[in-house]
């Protein structure tokens, strides 16, 4: 007989194999945790042994297969019950996506003395949904209380990406009846404290925020949240782990739109949540508190189906390898662009975390550091990211005119690209939330958001200079 004959070696044997596979993965994880940031970004979870087992391929293999085949019923049973590492079906897990998840967990916990797990998703919004929805089960009152007057609430910075604002305000607030308590000034820890009570389920902030570049004291806010037994969730899409790792400062869950600076070439939409082990929560099972990302991956993610395509995971891995080098170069360029705009007579205001006269400068300086510092001197250096915003004198007509004149910098409702992009949030990313919502989120109508790419700084400044020139303004 040439065909493989199904035979079972027994469930116990698969459990033993599972233990050996886990031990090998743990040893590889421990080895990579001792490496520097760039080494982790370049090699991730794909070590020499994995490569040799994949016909020596230099790159992580792309497993497009929707499912895995099994030796026997015992093997199938052990895999499906999570008794041994397996991927089973690409909606639950996939090896290519797994390489990305492990790399993101390593990078986001770089320098952190605890452990973290990552769950990659089909978009940033899917990650934000999965990171917050599990805390809103049984919204009819806090644990140990009763009565509909004890509505569950969430406390979030009002300085948020438009999609997150809509998820909280419309989906959770208007449709589910969750009370959304906005914090107007995220720098004011007193305001955060005053909004949290025994019915709060989580505390949420974005740093630096899109598009107003607002910041907050992560460590101070984590202490407040933990004092109430609550998790702190931070969206650090704009910073990326190359510039800031919120887990080091006490945050419990980090969410990313991986679609942005991480996948800078613009070949994939993707998201991720990365959580430290053992987080506080007043609701949900113990598994949620023990290893949040693993719990998400094994249960809600499997049921809701927001999985990331393995093809997109490979596109992301390809860009991720150069993350720190790009964030270093683009931050330096963005700082020069911000300084150019700040001194331009046509410019009314500039928002960039690295500008000394900005409201959040002291906090930005404390949190935004290039991982591993400057190579030449091995010295820590502040780097403030690739995103900035500005307003021009003359309101919306002038803003549209400057925006329409841009030639090298492209107009797009997007950011984080290796190509510089600009948008007017009020008519694009933050249009849905309306004028009142934009006022709350600190987004003036005539704000222009600029995402600095990898072009030569002089060419970007020349483009802005001609767009701001006197012609008709
Ligand atoms: C783009 C973005 C999101 C949403 O991510 P998608 O990948 O587009 O779903 C969330 N947060 C921030 C800060 C973003 O810029």
């Amino acid at each position: 007989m040439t065909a493989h004959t199904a035979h079972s070696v027994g469930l116990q044997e698969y459990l033993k194999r599972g233990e050996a596979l886990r031990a090998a993965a743990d040893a590889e994880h421990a080895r990579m945790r001792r490496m520097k940031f760039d080494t982790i970004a370049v090699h991730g979870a794909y070590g020499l042994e994995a490569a040799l087992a994949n016909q020596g391929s230099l790159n992580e293999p792309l497993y497009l297969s929707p499912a895995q085949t099994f030796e026997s019923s015992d093997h199938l049973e052990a895999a499906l019950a999570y008794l041994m590492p397996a991927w089973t079906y690409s909606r639950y897990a996939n090896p290519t996506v797994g390489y990305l998840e492990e790399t993101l967990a390593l990078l986001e916990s770089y320098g952190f003395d605890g452990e973290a797990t990552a769950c990659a998703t089909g978009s940033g919004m899917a990650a934000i949904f999965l990171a917050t929805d599990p805390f809103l089960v049984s919204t009819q009152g806090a644990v140990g209380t009763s009565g509909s007057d004890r509505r569950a609430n969430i406390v979030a910075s009002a300085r948020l990406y438009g999609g997150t604002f809509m998820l909280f305000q419309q989906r959770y607030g208007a449709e589910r009846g969750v009370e959304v308590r906005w914090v107007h000034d995220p720098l004011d820890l007193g305001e955060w404290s005053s909004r949290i009570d025994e019915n709060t389920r989580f505390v949420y902030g974005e740093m630096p925020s899109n598009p107003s570049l607002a910041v907050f004291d992560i460590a101070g806010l984590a202490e407040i949240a933990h004092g109430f037994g609550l998790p702190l969730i931070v969206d650090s899409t704009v910073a990326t782990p190359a510039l800031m790792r919120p887990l080091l400062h006490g945050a419990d869950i980090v969410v990313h739109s991986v679609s942005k600076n991480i996948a800078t070439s613009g070949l994939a939409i993707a998201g991720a949540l990365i959580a430290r082990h053992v987080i506080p929560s007043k609701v949900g099972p113990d598994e949620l508190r023990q290893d949040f990302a693993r719990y998400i991956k094994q249960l809600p993610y499997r049921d809701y189906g927001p999985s990331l395509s393995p093809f997109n995971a490979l596109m992301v891995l390809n860009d991720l390898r150069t993350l720190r080098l790009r964030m270093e170069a683009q931050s330096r360029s963005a700082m020069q662009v911000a300084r150019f705009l700040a001194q331009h007579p046509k410019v009314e205001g500039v928002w960039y975390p690295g500008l000394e006269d900005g409201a959040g400068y002291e906090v930005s300086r404390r949190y935004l550091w290039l991982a591993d510092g400057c190579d030449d001197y091995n010295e820590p250096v502040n780097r403030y990211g690739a995103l900035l915003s500005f307003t021009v004198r003359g309101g919306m007509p002038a803003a549209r005119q400057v925006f329409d004149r841009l030639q090298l910098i492209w107009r797009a409702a997007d950011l984080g690209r290796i190509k510089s992009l600009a948008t007017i949030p009020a008519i694009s990313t933050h249009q849905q939330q309306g004028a009142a919502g934009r006022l709350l989120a600190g987004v003036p109508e005539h704000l222009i958001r600029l995402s600095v790419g990898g072009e030569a700084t002089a060419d970007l400044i020349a483009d802005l200079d001609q767009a701001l020139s006197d012609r008709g303004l």
Side-chain angles (χ1 to χ4, degrees):
M1 219 166 85
T2 51
H4 177 82
T5 308
H7 71 285
S8 182
V9 293
L11 198 59
Q12 282 310 316
E13 176 58 25
Y14 290 107
L15 298 192
K16 249 193 268 166
R17 277 196 213 172
E19 271 167 35
L21 286 169
R22 269 198 203 99
D26 288 350
E28 183 61 10
H29 178 81
R31 187 177 76 88
M32 287 314 287
R33 283 212 71 174
R34 292 191 292 271
M35 301 285 174
K36 295 284 196 188
F37 191 93
D38 284 340
T39 311
I40 297 168
V42 169
H43 286 278
Y46 189 61
L48 184 60
E49 254 177 73
L52 293 175
N54 282 304
Q55 311 203 38
S57 168
L58 295 188
N59 296 323
E60 294 84 348
L62 174 56
Y63 289 100
L64 288 172
S65 172
Q68 159 184 22
T69 183
F70 296 99
E71 286 175 3
S72 64
S73 58
D74 285 334
H75 188 198
L76 176 82
E77 185 181 0
L80 271 285
Y82 295 121
L83 298 174
M84 68 180 297
W87 58 284
T88 307
Y89 184 61
S90 284
R91 174 162 50 78
Y92 315 166
N94 172 279
T96 310
V97 175
Y99 288 126
L100 174 63
E101 289 174 325
E102 172 68 358
T103 310
L104 289 173
L106 284 165
L107 291 179
E108 202 59 67
S109 59
Y110 184 66
F112 172 54
D113 52 20
E115 283 295 336
T117 306
C119 171
T121 56
S123 71
M125 285 315 302
I128 295 167
F129 171 74
L130 287 174
T132 52
D133 172 77
F135 301 109
L136 298 174
V137 289
S138 63
T139 54
Q140 277 307 301
V143 177
T145 66
S146 61
S148 52
D149 55 325
R150 300 293 190 107
R151 262 206 301 163
N153 71 68
I154 61 178
V155 175
S157 166
R159 307 284 182 128
L160 289 182
Y161 171 68
T164 313
F165 188 95
M166 293 298 285
L167 173 70
F168 290 1
Q169 177 101 320
Q170 295 306 120
R171 308 283 87 75
Y172 293 164
E175 293 177 4
R176 289 200 205 170
V178 173
E179 188 187 337
V180 185
R181 297 184 177 174
W182 297 116
V183 170
H184 299 91
D185 178 7
L187 274 173
D188 180 1
L189 289 178
E191 190 187 345
W192 286 98
S193 303
S194 73
R195 304 214 187 274
I196 302 173
D197 64 21
E198 72 274 17
N199 296 314
T200 305
R201 296 294 176 82
F202 63 78
V203 178
Y204 189 101
E206 190 175 301
M207 176 171 165
S209 73
N210 167 10
S212 63
L213 286 311
V215 293
F216 57 88
D217 175 3
I218 297 177
L221 185 55
E223 201 178 311
I224 292 168
H226 295 164
F228 284 91
L230 298 172
L232 170 62
I233 306 167
V234 177
D235 179 338
S236 72
T237 297
V238 172
T240 81
L243 303 184
M244 184 177 84
R245 293 171 303 288
L247 300 182
L248 271 67
H249 308 293
D252 299 287
I253 304 169
V254 178
V255 291
H256 282 288
S257 170
V258 172
S259 327
K260 309 292 170 52
N261 286 92
I262 295 179
T264 193
S265 303
L267 299 174
I269 292 285
L273 64 89
I274 300 102
R276 68 162 72 214
H277 293 183
V278 192
I279 65 165
S281 171
K282 294 184 177 172
V283 294
D286 267 349
E287 290 78 5
L288 175 150
R289 280 176 282 274
Q290 281 307 314
D291 186 346
F292 181 80
R294 186 181 157 92
Y295 164 80
I296 293 299
K297 182 104 185 145
Q298 294 190 346
L299 295 160
Y301 177 91
R302 182 169 162 161
D303 299 334
Y304 293 138
S307 43
L308 176 64
S309 149
F311 184 85
N312 284 4
L314 189 66
M315 295 297 106
V316 173
L317 276 165
N318 206 36
D319 277 346
L320 185 55
R321 306 189 211 282
T322 53
L323 179 67
R324 197 190 72 99
L325 304 170
R326 288 186 282 106
M327 290 310 285
E328 153 78 336
Q330 286 168 245
S331 294
R332 292 171 79 115
S333 192
M335 178 67 111
Q336 288 183 57
V337 170
R339 289 204 171 121
F340 163 78
L341 289 169
Q343 57 74 47
H344 198 286
K346 295 275 161 45
V347 172
E348 192 177 58
V350 182
W351 289 261
Y352 184 63
L355 290 181
E356 290 82 353
D357 54 2
Y361 181 63
E362 280 310 314
V363 169
S364 301
R365 215 166 58 142
R366 236 186 293 156
Y367 287 99
L368 296 166
W369 293 90
L370 181 69
D372 293 335
C374 208
D375 270 343
D376 297 355
Y377 309 106
N378 210 17
E379 272 176 11
V381 284
N382 282 117
R383 289 291 180 258
Y384 297 102
L387 195 70
L388 59 100
S389 289
F390 66 101
T391 52
V392 290
R393 296 182 204 286
M396 194 54 150
R400 281 188 188 258
Q401 199 168 49
V402 169
F403 184 70
D404 290 344
R405 280 184 184 168
L406 293 169
Q407 291 170 5
L408 179 65
I409 299 166
W410 287 354
R411 288 163 285 276
D414 193 9
L415 62 91
R417 298 287 150 253
I418 197 70
K419 296 181 180 180
S420 292
L421 304 174
T423 193
I424 298 178
I427 56 168
S428 61
T429 54
H430 291 67
Q431 177 270 330
Q432 274 189 313
Q433 71 196 65
R438 283 193 295 275
L439 190 67
L440 196 62
V443 183
E445 191 194 26
H446 63 311
L447 188 86
I448 298 175
R449 186 187 73 192
L450 180 61
S451 169
V452 174
E455 302 93 339
T457 313
D459 291 332
L460 295 175
I461 288 178
D463 193 30
L464 288 162
D465 199 31
Q466 65 79 25
L468 286 160
S469 74
D470 267 328
R471 278 187 304 144
L473 265 190

